[in-house]
Amino acid sequence: QGLKPLAPTESPDPIFGTSKPAPGLPATDPLLNPNKVPDLQKIFQRSDGLPVHLKRGYPDRMLYRTTMALTIGGTIYCLIALFIASQPKNQ
């Protein structure tokens, strides 16, 4: 008799993997955004010497600098807190 498989052997129909719109939607539905992937690939694959996380210009630079400032500030704050916690309390 043996063991029965836990999962069905047939794959179900894809829910989110369809490439064409549902039959009830018009072809030019405003909710369907144009595909921006080819444009972004051109930006990110350009060989201009910049790292990927800085390729999109000013907003990327600001996010990077803010992240670095918060990281360095948090590290300094943790080191100060550890230093204060390591000192014995005077009574």
Side-chain angles (χ1 to χ4, degrees):
Q1 201 164 353
L3 298 174
K4 294 181 182 177
L6 295 176
T9 56
E10 298 176 4
S11 62
D13 294 332
I15 297 172
F16 300 107
T18 59
S19 61
K20 51 188 170 183
L25 294 176
T28 58
D29 189 5
L31 296 177
L32 298 175
N33 295 329
N35 189 3
K36 297 179 184 177
V37 172
D39 299 330
L40 291 175
Q41 283 178 339
K42 288 177 187 173
I43 292 172
F44 289 126
Q45 291 178 353
R46 190 175 17 189
S47 120
D48 53 3
L50 287 174
V52 169
H53 59 275
L54 296 176
K55 289 263 187 184
R56 292 183 69 185
Y58 184 75
D60 283 348
R61 283 196 307 262
M62 290 308 296
L63 281 172
Y64 177 75
R65 290 176 183 168
T66 303
T67 303
M68 286 298 111
L70 288 172
T71 303
I72 292 170
T75 303
I76 292 171
Y77 178 76
C78 287
L79 291 174
I80 291 172
L82 283 171
F83 177 76
I84 291 172
S86 69
Q87 300 300 316
K89 291 185 178 182
N90 295 333
Q91 292 185 2

XYZ file of all heavy atoms in Angstrom:
697
model
N 0.827 -1.173 0.000
C 0.000 0.000 0.000
C 0.885 1.255 0.000
O 0.674 2.159 -0.761
C -0.913 -0.050 1.195
C -2.108 0.809 1.021
C -3.168 0.421 2.037
O -3.045 -0.550 2.753
N -4.198 1.191 2.087
N 1.853 1.365 0.855
C 2.812 2.461 0.827
C 2.266 3.772 1.355
O 1.125 3.889 1.768
N 3.114 4.795 1.305
C 2.733 6.129 1.778
C 2.132 6.937 0.648
O 2.585 6.873 -0.490
C 3.951 6.858 2.333
C 4.628 6.215 3.549
C 5.884 6.981 3.886
C 3.679 6.199 4.730
N 1.136 7.707 0.970
C 0.528 8.586 -0.021
C 1.270 9.924 -0.009
O 1.712 10.383 1.051
C -0.944 8.817 0.301
C -1.776 7.558 0.184
C -3.216 7.843 0.497
C -4.015 6.553 0.421
N -5.416 6.769 0.793
N 1.436 10.572 -1.155
C 2.131 11.876 -1.165
C 1.318 12.918 -0.415
O 0.090 12.924 -0.453
C 2.249 12.213 -2.647
C 1.214 11.384 -3.329
C 1.017 10.154 -2.486
N 2.027 13.805 0.297
C 1.367 14.848 1.063
C 0.816 15.947 0.173
O -0.236 16.496 0.430
C 2.342 15.456 2.080
C 2.825 14.507 3.174
C 3.850 15.204 4.043
C 1.661 14.022 4.015
N 1.540 16.290 -0.850
C 1.122 17.369 -1.739
C 0.557 16.762 -3.020
O 0.970 15.680 -3.452
C 2.304 18.266 -2.063
N -0.390 17.439 -3.650
C -0.898 16.914 -4.923
C 0.198 16.936 -5.985
O 1.078 17.793 -5.975
C -2.040 17.867 -5.268
C -1.793 19.094 -4.473
C -1.031 18.672 -3.249
N 0.126 15.968 -6.887
C 1.166 15.869 -7.907
C 0.977 16.881 -9.027
O 1.919 17.221 -9.724
C 1.183 14.452 -8.506
O -0.126 14.159 -9.000
C 1.577 13.430 -7.463
N -0.233 17.394 -9.218
C -0.476 18.400 -10.244
C -0.230 19.788 -9.662
O -0.609 20.072 -8.541
C -1.923 18.315 -10.732
C -2.278 17.001 -11.378
C -3.753 16.956 -11.739
O -4.444 17.978 -11.555
O -4.209 15.909 -12.189
N 0.410 20.634 -10.436
C 0.643 21.987 -9.943
C -0.623 22.820 -10.145
O -1.277 22.724 -11.182
C 1.821 22.631 -10.675
O 1.517 22.735 -12.041
N -0.965 23.641 -9.153
C -2.172 24.462 -9.291
C -1.960 25.583 -10.297
O -0.825 25.922 -10.658
C -2.374 25.014 -7.888
C -1.020 25.013 -7.282
C -0.298 23.834 -7.887
N -3.047 26.154 -10.763
C -2.950 27.283 -11.681
C -2.316 28.468 -10.968
O -2.619 28.727 -9.806
C -4.344 27.677 -12.183
C -4.958 26.591 -13.051
O -4.192 25.849 -13.688
O -6.204 26.498 -13.080
N -1.413 29.191 -11.634
C -0.772 30.331 -10.968
C -1.793 31.437 -10.696
O -2.654 31.727 -11.520
C 0.287 30.791 -11.966
C -0.161 30.254 -13.272
C -0.930 29.004 -12.989
N -1.662 32.039 -9.535
C -2.574 33.112 -9.154
C -1.993 34.460 -9.574
O -2.636 35.268 -10.212
C -2.824 33.092 -7.639
C -3.509 31.783 -7.253
C -3.670 34.275 -7.214
C -3.634 31.579 -5.772
N -0.725 34.672 -9.218
C -0.100 35.962 -9.489
C 0.839 35.919 -10.680
O 1.403 36.930 -11.049
C 0.682 36.435 -8.259
C -0.176 36.599 -7.051
C -0.109 35.702 -6.002
C -1.072 37.634 -6.974
C -0.911 35.851 -4.904
C -1.869 37.791 -5.870
C -1.795 36.902 -4.826
N 1.048 34.777 -11.284
C 2.033 34.647 -12.339
C 1.498 34.865 -13.737
O 2.153 34.508 -14.696
N 0.322 35.425 -13.885
C -0.208 35.626 -15.226
C 0.406 36.862 -15.862
O 0.657 37.859 -15.201
C -1.737 35.779 -15.193
O -2.054 36.883 -14.363
C -2.401 34.529 -14.660
N 0.655 36.800 -17.145
C 1.257 37.931 -17.838
C 0.231 38.756 -18.598
O 0.553 39.798 -19.125
C 2.344 37.443 -18.792
O 1.768 36.592 -19.745
N -0.996 38.285 -18.694
C -2.021 39.056 -19.381
C -3.097 39.452 -18.376
O -3.299 38.766 -17.380
C -2.607 38.260 -20.539
C -3.055 36.875 -20.194
C -3.434 36.120 -21.447
C -3.638 34.654 -21.103
N -3.930 33.851 -22.243
N -3.762 40.566 -18.604
C -4.760 41.011 -17.639
C -5.955 40.070 -17.582
O -6.203 39.298 -18.500
C -5.163 42.397 -18.141
C -4.775 42.425 -19.563
C -3.615 41.478 -19.722
N -6.671 40.162 -16.485
C -7.856 39.322 -16.305
C -8.874 39.658 -17.387
O -8.904 40.770 -17.919
C -8.434 39.558 -14.920
N -9.747 38.716 -17.733
C -10.686 38.947 -18.834
C -11.638 40.114 -18.582
O -12.094 40.742 -19.524
C -11.464 37.642 -18.937
C -10.793 36.661 -18.072
C -9.840 37.378 -17.203
N -11.947 40.446 -17.340
C -12.891 41.524 -17.064
C -12.284 42.911 -17.154
O -13.000 43.910 -17.206
N -10.949 43.020 -17.177
C -10.290 44.327 -17.201
C -10.016 44.773 -18.629
O -9.632 43.968 -19.474
C -8.959 44.266 -16.445
C -9.035 44.016 -14.943
C -7.634 43.884 -14.382
C -9.759 45.140 -14.241
N -10.185 46.062 -18.925
C -9.799 46.538 -20.256
C -8.282 46.531 -20.400
O -7.554 46.546 -19.417
C -10.361 47.958 -20.305
C -10.535 48.362 -18.891
C -10.792 47.106 -18.108
N -7.809 46.528 -21.623
C -6.364 46.445 -21.880
C -5.627 47.690 -21.405
O -4.457 47.631 -21.079
C -6.114 46.213 -23.363
N -6.288 48.832 -21.367
C -5.635 50.073 -20.949
C -6.156 50.501 -19.587
O -6.602 51.621 -19.406
C -5.887 51.183 -21.981
O -7.304 51.357 -22.102
C -5.289 50.834 -23.321
N -6.098 49.628 -18.627
C -6.551 49.928 -17.271
C -5.542 50.869 -16.617
O -4.329 50.631 -16.671
C -6.675 48.628 -16.482
C -7.345 48.832 -15.143
O -7.789 49.964 -14.880
O -7.419 47.864 -14.367
N -5.988 51.958 -15.971
C -5.043 52.878 -15.347
C -4.315 52.255 -14.160
O -3.283 52.765 -13.736
C -5.911 54.054 -14.913
C -7.297 53.520 -14.841
C -7.365 52.414 -15.850
N -4.822 51.162 -13.622
C -4.144 50.530 -12.491
C -2.937 49.718 -12.921
O -2.068 49.412 -12.115
C -5.122 49.637 -11.727
C -6.296 50.349 -11.058
C -7.219 49.334 -10.410
C -5.812 51.356 -10.051
N -2.867 49.332 -14.190
C -1.726 48.575 -14.688
C -0.628 49.551 -15.085
O -0.746 50.285 -16.055
C -2.134 47.708 -15.884
C -3.188 46.640 -15.615
C -3.571 45.956 -16.907
C -2.673 45.643 -14.607
N 0.455 49.568 -14.315
C 1.568 50.477 -14.578
C 2.441 49.929 -15.695
O 2.567 48.718 -15.867
C 2.399 50.655 -13.321
C 1.626 51.336 -12.226
O 0.744 52.149 -12.499
N 1.937 51.011 -10.988
N 3.084 50.814 -16.443
C 4.001 50.323 -17.484
C 5.217 49.661 -16.843
O 5.603 49.980 -15.723
C 4.391 51.589 -18.239
C 4.141 52.699 -17.291
C 3.002 52.261 -16.413
N 5.816 48.763 -17.568
C 6.981 48.030 -17.070
C 8.197 48.950 -17.062
O 8.638 49.421 -18.108
C 7.230 46.815 -17.953
C 8.269 45.895 -17.380
O 8.775 46.124 -16.292
N 8.593 44.842 -18.106
N 8.767 49.198 -15.881
C 9.920 50.084 -15.748
C 11.236 49.323 -15.655
O 12.288 49.935 -15.558
C 9.765 50.935 -14.488
C 8.583 51.856 -14.526
C 8.479 52.651 -13.245
C 7.231 53.505 -13.245
N 7.072 54.240 -11.993
N 11.179 48.002 -15.680
C 12.378 47.198 -15.492
C 13.431 47.452 -16.568
O 14.613 47.633 -16.246
C 12.026 45.700 -15.384
C 13.269 44.840 -15.377
C 11.191 45.447 -14.147
N 13.093 47.514 -17.872
C 14.150 47.760 -18.862
C 14.859 49.107 -18.654
O 16.073 49.200 -18.825
C 13.408 47.737 -20.201
C 12.200 46.920 -19.953
C 11.817 47.188 -18.529
N 14.094 50.142 -18.267
C 14.722 51.444 -18.015
C 15.658 51.377 -16.816
O 16.766 51.929 -16.844
C 13.645 52.510 -17.781
C 12.738 52.680 -18.991
O 13.217 52.460 -20.122
O 11.556 53.031 -18.793
N 15.222 50.706 -15.747
C 16.072 50.588 -14.567
C 17.292 49.726 -14.844
O 18.378 49.989 -14.314
C 15.265 50.014 -13.402
C 14.181 50.928 -12.839
C 13.371 50.210 -11.782
C 14.767 52.202 -12.295
N 17.162 48.714 -15.709
C 18.323 47.908 -16.067
C 19.365 48.742 -16.785
O 20.560 48.593 -16.553
C 17.897 46.731 -16.950
C 17.257 45.606 -16.192
C 16.794 44.488 -17.098
O 16.594 44.684 -18.292
N 16.620 43.306 -16.522
N 18.915 49.651 -17.652
C 19.865 50.522 -18.351
C 20.613 51.404 -17.358
O 21.818 51.621 -17.487
C 19.128 51.399 -19.359
C 18.623 50.642 -20.562
C 17.838 51.557 -21.480
C 17.181 50.758 -22.589
N 16.275 51.566 -23.399
N 19.896 51.908 -16.353
C 20.532 52.773 -15.351
C 21.545 51.988 -14.530
O 22.679 52.424 -14.335
C 19.464 53.407 -14.434
C 18.613 54.401 -15.211
C 20.106 54.092 -13.239
C 17.415 54.924 -14.438
N 21.144 50.804 -14.043
C 21.996 50.059 -13.118
C 23.148 49.344 -13.815
O 24.162 49.057 -13.187
C 21.163 49.054 -12.328
C 20.263 49.703 -11.318
C 18.909 49.443 -11.308
C 20.763 50.584 -10.387
C 18.082 50.038 -10.382
C 19.945 51.193 -9.455
C 18.598 50.922 -9.451
N 23.041 49.061 -15.115
C 24.111 48.364 -15.812
C 25.093 49.310 -16.496
O 26.077 48.860 -17.075
C 23.512 47.400 -16.841
C 22.807 46.239 -16.204
C 22.163 45.313 -17.213
O 22.126 45.604 -18.398
N 21.640 44.201 -16.730
N 24.843 50.607 -16.396
C 25.751 51.577 -16.984
C 27.085 51.511 -16.250
O 27.141 51.420 -15.033
C 25.121 52.966 -16.841
C 25.809 54.039 -17.590
C 25.067 55.331 -17.497
N 24.100 55.279 -16.382
C 23.197 56.195 -16.155
N 23.108 57.234 -16.914
N 22.369 56.089 -15.140
N 28.174 51.562 -16.990
C 29.494 51.465 -16.364
C 30.043 52.870 -16.161
O 30.751 53.402 -16.997
C 30.390 50.593 -17.220
O 31.508 51.238 -17.670
N 29.700 53.473 -15.027
C 30.173 54.817 -14.728
C 30.995 54.868 -13.444
O 31.324 55.938 -12.954
C 28.996 55.803 -14.646
C 27.912 55.351 -13.701
O 28.086 54.306 -13.061
O 26.891 56.044 -13.611
N 31.322 53.712 -12.879
C 32.173 53.661 -11.708
C 31.445 53.851 -10.386
O 32.076 53.795 -9.339
N 30.144 54.094 -10.407
C 29.391 54.260 -9.169
C 28.894 52.911 -8.667
O 28.547 52.050 -9.463
C 28.170 55.161 -9.392
C 28.424 56.640 -9.589
C 27.122 57.347 -9.941
C 29.015 57.243 -8.339
N 28.842 52.734 -7.347
C 28.225 51.504 -6.839
C 26.722 51.504 -7.109
O 26.116 52.553 -7.312
C 28.527 51.537 -5.344
C 28.983 52.906 -5.041
C 29.387 53.561 -6.303
N 26.129 50.328 -7.099
C 24.722 50.178 -7.465
C 23.826 51.002 -6.551
O 22.843 51.593 -6.997
C 24.336 48.689 -7.410
C 22.838 48.510 -7.524
C 25.023 47.939 -8.516
N 24.164 51.086 -5.255
C 23.281 51.777 -4.328
C 23.344 53.302 -4.465
O 22.640 54.001 -3.750
C 23.573 51.347 -2.885
C 24.975 51.598 -2.439
N 25.995 50.715 -2.688
C 25.517 52.628 -1.768
C 27.101 51.190 -2.169
N 26.851 52.353 -1.622
N 24.153 53.822 -5.367
C 24.225 55.270 -5.596
C 23.909 55.658 -7.039
O 24.081 56.811 -7.420
C 25.620 55.789 -5.235
C 26.023 55.658 -3.772
C 27.452 56.128 -3.581
C 25.093 56.428 -2.888
N 23.435 54.728 -7.857
C 23.254 54.977 -9.288
C 22.122 55.947 -9.617
O 22.138 56.567 -10.655
C 22.963 53.654 -10.019
C 24.142 52.741 -10.106
C 24.821 52.880 -11.405
C 25.904 51.825 -11.529
N 26.643 51.957 -12.719
N 21.113 56.073 -8.770
C 19.950 56.878 -9.134
C 20.059 58.328 -8.692
O 19.080 59.058 -8.725
C 18.691 56.239 -8.573
C 18.404 54.928 -9.280
C 17.152 54.291 -8.843
N 15.994 55.044 -9.269
C 14.755 54.737 -8.935
N 14.532 53.708 -8.159
N 13.752 55.451 -9.352
N 21.237 58.770 -8.263
C 21.463 60.179 -8.060
C 21.264 60.684 -6.641
O 21.584 60.025 -5.660
N 20.726 61.893 -6.555
C 20.637 62.626 -5.294
C 19.850 61.895 -4.200
O 20.325 61.830 -3.058
C 20.043 64.015 -5.553
C 19.985 64.886 -4.331
C 21.142 65.471 -3.831
C 18.792 65.109 -3.675
C 21.095 66.262 -2.702
C 18.733 65.892 -2.552
C 19.880 66.482 -2.061
O 19.831 67.246 -0.938
N 18.664 61.329 -4.480
C 17.951 60.633 -3.403
C 18.741 59.457 -2.826
O 18.730 59.230 -1.621
C 16.666 60.133 -4.066
C 16.492 60.968 -5.268
C 17.854 61.380 -5.706
N 19.458 58.737 -3.678
C 20.270 57.628 -3.193
C 21.416 58.125 -2.322
O 21.742 57.515 -1.304
C 20.825 56.811 -4.355
C 19.792 55.891 -4.970
O 18.718 55.723 -4.364
O 20.055 55.339 -6.054
N 22.027 59.235 -2.723
C 23.116 59.792 -1.910
C 22.614 60.222 -0.544
O 23.270 59.992 0.473
C 23.763 60.972 -2.626
C 24.689 60.563 -3.741
C 25.592 61.711 -4.159
N 24.858 62.915 -4.485
C 24.529 63.315 -5.707
N 24.893 62.584 -6.735
N 23.862 64.423 -5.902
N 21.423 60.845 -0.509
C 20.875 61.295 0.777
C 20.519 60.107 1.670
O 20.798 60.130 2.878
C 19.655 62.186 0.553
C 19.992 63.534 -0.051
S 21.275 64.429 0.837
C 20.479 64.707 2.388
N 19.915 59.075 1.104
C 19.607 57.886 1.894
C 20.880 57.221 2.417
O 20.940 56.791 3.573
C 18.814 56.890 1.051
C 17.340 57.183 0.882
C 16.729 56.234 -0.139
C 16.614 57.054 2.192
N 21.901 57.152 1.581
C 23.160 56.533 1.990
C 23.807 57.331 3.116
O 24.232 56.766 4.127
C 24.101 56.436 0.786
C 25.461 55.875 1.123
C 25.619 54.522 1.361
C 26.571 56.700 1.207
C 26.860 53.998 1.670
C 27.810 56.187 1.515
C 27.955 54.834 1.754
O 29.176 54.329 2.070
N 23.864 58.646 2.969
C 24.495 59.480 3.996
C 23.717 59.460 5.302
O 24.312 59.430 6.386
C 24.646 60.912 3.483
C 25.694 61.018 2.395
C 25.774 62.408 1.830
N 26.740 62.449 0.746
C 26.862 63.457 -0.094
N 26.077 64.512 0.017
N 27.756 63.413 -1.045
N 22.383 59.460 5.202
C 21.563 59.386 6.414
C 21.782 58.061 7.121
O 21.931 58.023 8.358
C 20.077 59.553 6.051
O 19.910 60.799 5.369
C 19.199 59.507 7.274
N 21.829 56.972 6.362
C 22.063 55.656 6.958
C 23.430 55.594 7.626
O 23.565 55.084 8.748
C 21.953 54.562 5.882
O 20.673 54.649 5.258
C 22.146 53.183 6.471
N 24.454 56.129 6.960
C 25.790 56.117 7.541
C 25.851 56.982 8.801
O 26.468 56.593 9.802
C 26.830 56.614 6.527
C 27.146 55.613 5.449
S 27.859 54.102 6.103
C 26.562 52.956 5.796
N 25.204 58.151 8.790
C 25.206 59.022 9.968
C 24.500 58.345 11.145
O 24.992 58.389 12.286
C 24.536 60.353 9.640
N 23.359 57.707 10.884
C 22.646 57.016 11.957
C 23.453 55.824 12.483
O 23.458 55.553 13.693
C 21.277 56.551 11.470
C 20.246 57.655 11.258
C 18.994 57.097 10.595
C 19.890 58.307 12.586
N 24.141 55.134 11.600
C 24.955 53.999 12.023
C 26.120 54.446 12.891
O 26.368 53.880 13.965
C 25.485 53.233 10.794
O 24.374 52.819 9.996
C 26.307 52.034 11.198
N 26.821 55.472 12.449
C 27.960 55.972 13.224
C 27.482 56.583 14.539
O 28.071 56.344 15.602
C 28.769 56.977 12.378
C 29.454 56.236 11.224
C 29.792 57.712 13.238
C 30.074 57.140 10.189
N 26.387 57.348 14.489
C 25.843 57.934 15.713
C 25.383 56.864 16.693
O 25.611 56.980 17.905
N 24.734 55.818 16.208
C 24.299 54.732 17.083
C 25.467 53.984 17.697
O 25.415 53.588 18.862
N 26.527 53.788 16.915
C 27.719 53.117 17.438
C 28.355 53.943 18.542
O 28.726 53.415 19.600
C 28.726 52.860 16.301
O 28.091 52.089 15.283
C 29.954 52.148 16.812
N 28.482 55.246 18.314
C 29.058 56.124 19.338
C 28.185 56.137 20.587
O 28.690 56.066 21.716
C 29.271 57.542 18.760
C 30.376 57.510 17.704
C 29.602 58.541 19.870
C 30.521 58.787 16.924
N 26.867 56.194 20.416
C 25.953 56.185 21.550
C 26.089 54.889 22.349
O 26.109 54.914 23.587
C 24.517 56.361 21.066
C 23.496 56.324 22.163
C 23.318 57.417 23.010
C 22.714 55.192 22.375
C 22.386 57.375 24.029
C 21.785 55.147 23.383
C 21.621 56.240 24.215
O 20.698 56.195 25.230
N 26.192 53.753 21.669
C 26.356 52.471 22.358
C 27.676 52.410 23.120
O 27.726 51.909 24.247
C 26.281 51.321 21.364
S 24.622 51.009 20.764
N 28.748 52.917 22.514
C 30.037 52.913 23.200
C 30.010 53.803 24.438
O 30.552 53.437 25.492
C 31.144 53.351 22.243
C 31.468 52.363 21.116
C 32.473 52.974 20.148
C 31.982 51.058 21.690
N 29.366 54.963 24.337
C 29.251 55.850 25.503
C 28.403 55.182 26.584
O 28.754 55.230 27.775
C 28.668 57.213 25.088
C 29.690 57.964 24.238
C 28.265 58.039 26.304
C 29.155 59.233 23.608
N 27.298 54.551 26.206
C 26.444 53.873 27.183
C 27.196 52.732 27.859
O 27.070 52.529 29.075
C 25.183 53.361 26.503
N 27.999 51.987 27.108
C 28.800 50.921 27.706
C 29.848 51.490 28.655
O 30.107 50.915 29.722
C 29.472 50.088 26.616
C 28.582 49.087 25.895
C 29.313 48.491 24.699
C 28.140 47.996 26.848
N 30.457 52.594 28.290
C 31.461 53.211 29.156
C 30.825 53.684 30.458
O 31.372 53.454 31.547
C 32.137 54.389 28.431
C 33.122 55.106 29.297
C 34.366 54.551 29.554
C 32.805 56.335 29.861
C 35.273 55.213 30.359
C 33.707 57.000 30.667
C 34.951 56.437 30.909
N 29.656 54.321 30.360
C 28.977 54.805 31.562
C 28.530 53.624 32.426
O 28.644 53.655 33.662
C 27.786 55.704 31.174
C 28.318 57.006 30.568
C 26.895 56.003 32.377
C 27.244 57.888 29.971
N 28.041 52.565 31.816
C 27.590 51.402 32.581
C 28.757 50.650 33.235
O 28.549 49.987 34.246
C 26.826 50.451 31.663
N 29.954 50.780 32.691
C 31.098 50.063 33.263
C 31.715 50.796 34.454
O 32.507 50.204 35.181
C 32.156 49.834 32.198
O 32.750 51.062 31.827
N 31.363 52.050 34.656
C 31.907 52.813 35.767
C 31.155 52.479 37.056
O 29.933 52.386 37.054
C 31.793 54.323 35.499
C 32.531 54.776 34.254
C 34.011 54.484 34.316
O 34.657 54.715 35.341
N 34.544 53.964 33.235
N 31.872 52.287 38.157
C 31.172 52.017 39.413
C 30.452 53.279 39.914
O 30.907 54.394 39.704
C 32.305 51.614 40.364
C 33.528 52.206 39.772
C 33.313 52.271 38.299
N 29.310 53.054 40.574
C 28.558 54.181 41.101
C 29.185 54.620 42.430
O 29.516 53.800 43.280
C 27.106 53.779 41.342
C 26.353 53.538 40.067
C 24.892 53.265 40.344
C 24.151 53.083 39.031
N 22.715 52.855 39.264
N 29.341 55.921 42.606
C 29.855 56.474 43.858
C 28.732 56.584 44.867
O 27.661 57.064 44.563
C 30.492 57.843 43.632
C 31.720 57.738 42.768
O 32.371 56.713 42.748
N 32.026 58.806 42.040
N 28.984 56.152 46.108
C 27.947 56.244 47.147
C 28.375 57.144 48.262
O 29.422 57.320 48.650
C 27.621 54.872 47.708
C 26.930 54.017 46.680
C 26.498 52.690 47.281
O 26.688 52.438 48.456
N 25.909 51.858 46.455
